[in-house]
Amino acid sequence: MTETVGEWVAAARRIAVLTGAGISAESGVPTFRDAQTGLWAKFRPEDLATEDAFRARPSVVWDWYLSRREMIGRVAPNAGHLALAAFQARHPGRLTLITQNVDGLHQRAGSEGVLALHGNIFEDKWLDPPRACCRLEAAVPGSPPHCPQCGNRLRPAVVWFGEMLAQDVLAAAERASQACDLMLVIGTSGVVYPAAGLARSVPRGAKVVVINPEPTELDDAAHAVLRGKAAELLPDLLRI
Ligand code: BJW
């Protein structure tokens, strides 16, 4: 089956790639739904990644993001990220990379034009609409930092459950999905929408390939499922 998918890659003129946490697993970043360890073992990520959780326990949620920033800062892109970036460099304009990941590893691998649906864990924004006094550079350090004038708090610039995705980023991802003749769905459980819906929006005749060591919610949309790890399969699949 890998050989057939390799032929689809070679023949495809417009490839859309949707990645999730699994592509960063071999860099050492735990997937979103993995059991957490250490201090965070008693929390479910789904219960921390919401505005309600941040308002109820701002220091717990801020410190969770801080610990993830530190951990991601210590790891490097793996062979999967690098294979995608190298393919883009060899075939300009042929592959659009859509990611649900907030870790920035695709960008660090050298991928261009990454559509980061769920934001960037290393950036901050204001929790409440910023007033004239709210300046990022003036924020008072803390857990979380805050505006010295009005007390508005900083939060990570990621998309939490119940929040809208950036409309321009989502629209670009929809355009790429609806125009592709091949979509690779890599390392995502496929449970979070609207990202997962992209794999079901490809044109009639386009091929969808799921790459994941475990079953996913998107397997039924796939013309081929490659059961394996992204960093092991992608270098070979994208070698042309
Ligand atoms: C490997 C591997 C290896 C391991 N190689 N693979 C339609 C139906 C039902 C619900 C909804 C719907 N539309 C919207 C919703 C609600 C909600 C949602 O989807 N809920 C579902 C969970 C039921 N969606 C939203 O709220 C979204 N907003 C929205 O829709 O706005 C409109 C609206 C607003 C208000 C009211 C109504 C509508 C926002 C979603 C934001 C998601 N944000 C997060 C957190 C980001 C910040 C952070 O990181 O802290 O994004 S949640 C989390 O899930 C994170 C991830 O990007 C995302 C996806 O997770 P992913 O990547 O799939 O990770 P895992 O862990 O689930 O899976 C990893 C996979 O890797 C596994 O399959 C492994 O097997 C595999 N793997 N090793 C390859 N080596």
Side-chain angles (χ1 to χ4, degrees), residues 19-26 30-34 45-46 48-49 64-65 68 78 99-103 117-119 121 156-165 167 186-196 211-217 228-232:
T19 67
I23 193 161
S24 297
E26 285 148 292
T31 63
F32 198 78
R33 286 165 184 80
D34 268 351
E46 296 91 322
L48 294 171
W64 180 55
Y65 279 98
R68 289 174 61 200
N78 64 49
T99 188
Q100 299 170 83
N101 298 346
V102 297
D103 57 27
L117 296 173
H118 296 158
I121 198 170
V158 297
V159 182
W160 282 330
F161 284 114
E163 294 184 327
M164 305 290 277
L165 283 64
Q167 283 309 300
I186 306 169
T188 177
S189 54
V191 296
V192 173
Y193 282 79
I211 299 175
N212 199 307
E214 305 290 335
T216 82
E217 291 294 314
K229 295 182 175 179
E232 291 172 5

